[in-house]
Amino acid sequence: MRGFRWPPPPDGGPRTWGPGPGGPRTGRPALPEPETELVATPHGVRLERLVTGTGDPVTVFAHGLGNGIATTRPFGSGVTGRKVFFQFRGHGRSEAPAGPWNYLDLARDLRAIADLGSASRAFGASLGAGALCRLLAESPERFEKLVFFLPAVLDQPRGPVASERLTALLDAVESGDASAVADVVSLELPPAVRNTPAGWAYLRQRLDQLLRDGLSDGLATLPEQAPLRDAAALAAVTAPALVIGCAGDDLHPVEVAEQLAAALPQATLHVYDRPGVLWSDRADLRERVSGFLNE
């Protein structure tokens, strides 16, 4: 990574490794990675975990496919109490038992981390939202408050775009070629952000993590699966829920957010009018999540 120079540095962006006159002058740098721990779970899979904050209530944060702790930490910045972040199996330093895996396996990971941390609230992004739905189908009263950010799938498998993107990411990570990984990861950024200091910082952090820890090929079949057979399985969930979607997001169709909000008896739906909300409406998004969980 020290010699990595893709994509071309933005104006005023980092042309050399580390801080200095070529460092970014604008944009929000990615959060530094803190020291995490590996914890044993009742189902025998050790998972990487980070706990921040103090006191009650406790909120568990579940990340999206191919992401991890670093991408969910910003959502907890304004949330009171203790925050528990973790990596699903096959991500980061978490173990990768023999696959393929399904959403029940992911729900077990989420449940174990929530139980170990005595979490009473849960946040799920994309894949994490699906795992949370699977857990709630089994234990509808497990949490007191719920947030679903960009749910990608409910009772129907994801489309070919998601499968192709994940396959490309797995192949790139396995190759160890930083440029190949960057080609795929850059698609996570809105076009207007890709050649900016903030986009560069995000890309650097994602590459560092993916090339260091890798991704398990046990994840490969998840886009072909759905967490639930029928969304009606969520009818017994009485906890207040906030469901957040984005119009125009190919990987997270707004129709899934609408269907999930309709399936949850106590849900509030908010839809942003364009994709890339983490970049275009970051402050509003964090205030919306923290406001809901803190009230």
Side-chain angles (χ1 to χ4, degrees):
M1 286 298 293
R2 186 168 295 270
F4 182 68
R5 292 293 181 271
W6 185 105
D11 291 342
R15 288 177 171 79
T16 59
W17 184 267
R25 303 295 182 184
T26 60
R28 184 186 302 271
L31 289 170
E33 293 189 30
E35 184 175 349
T36 59
E37 60 182 340
L38 283 175
V39 295
T41 65
H43 57 291
V45 181
R46 292 198 306 164
L47 300 173
E48 186 177 7
R49 181 181 71 174
L50 170 69
V51 180
T52 66
T54 59
D56 293 323
V58 182
T59 307
V60 62
F61 291 79
H63 63 82
L65 185 60
N67 286 276
I69 291 172
T71 55
T72 50
R73 282 184 66 206
F75 293 104
S77 60
V79 176
T80 57
R82 193 152 39 98
K83 280 88 70 172
V84 181
F85 306 93
F86 76 103
Q87 311 263 44
F88 281 113
R89 63 183 61 204
H91 293 80
R93 296 169 54 217
S94 292
E95 291 183 341
W101 309 317
N102 55 38
Y103 277 93
L104 179 59
D105 295 315
L106 302 180
R108 286 170 177 160
D109 290 349
L110 174 55
R111 182 194 295 273
I113 293 295
D115 289 350
L116 289 170
S118 301
S120 61
R121 307 181 299 181
F123 171 99
S126 192
L127 176 79
L132 180 55
C133 286
R134 188 67 180 85
L135 190 162
L136 292 169
E138 302 291 331
S139 303
E141 300 179 357
R142 174 60 185 81
F143 296 105
E144 298 172 358
K145 279 193 174 182
L146 305 161
V147 177
F148 300 86
F149 177 64
L150 300 184
V153 62
L154 195 56
D155 56 8
Q156 296 293 325
R158 300 177 74 168
V161 174
S163 181
E164 292 168 4
R165 182 82 61 85
L166 176 59
T167 298
L169 181 59
L170 290 171
D171 290 344
V173 171
E174 185 178 5
S175 76
D177 183 344
S179 294
V181 178
D183 281 333
V184 182
V185 172
S186 66
L187 298 177
E188 300 173 8
L189 300 169
V193 176
R194 291 174 191 170
N195 200 34
T196 66
W200 180 266
Y202 174 85
L203 183 66
R204 285 274 191 172
Q205 184 187 60
R206 289 279 284 135
L207 292 181
D208 282 339
Q209 187 270 317
L210 288 168
L211 293 173
R212 181 189 67 232
D213 299 326
L215 285 173
S216 172
D217 58 9
L219 303 169
T221 61
L222 285 173
E224 304 168 6
Q225 304 178 43
L228 304 176
R229 293 183 179 178
D230 190 335
L234 300 176
V237 179
T238 58
L242 172 63
V243 181
I244 300 174
C246 284
D249 190 325
D250 292 337
L251 294 180
H252 310 93
V254 69
E255 293 80 9
V256 176
E258 293 169 345
Q259 184 186 7
L260 175 57
L264 293 165
Q266 300 295 326
T268 298
L269 173 66
H270 180 80
V271 177
Y272 288 93
D273 60 4
R274 55 179 174 173
V277 61
L278 281 167
W279 300 92
S280 60
D281 296 279
R282 188 184 186 99
D284 180 82
L285 175 61
R286 290 198 296 189
E287 289 174 7
R288 192 172 298 278
V289 172
S290 61
F292 173 78
L293 291 174
N294 294 342
E295 67 182 8

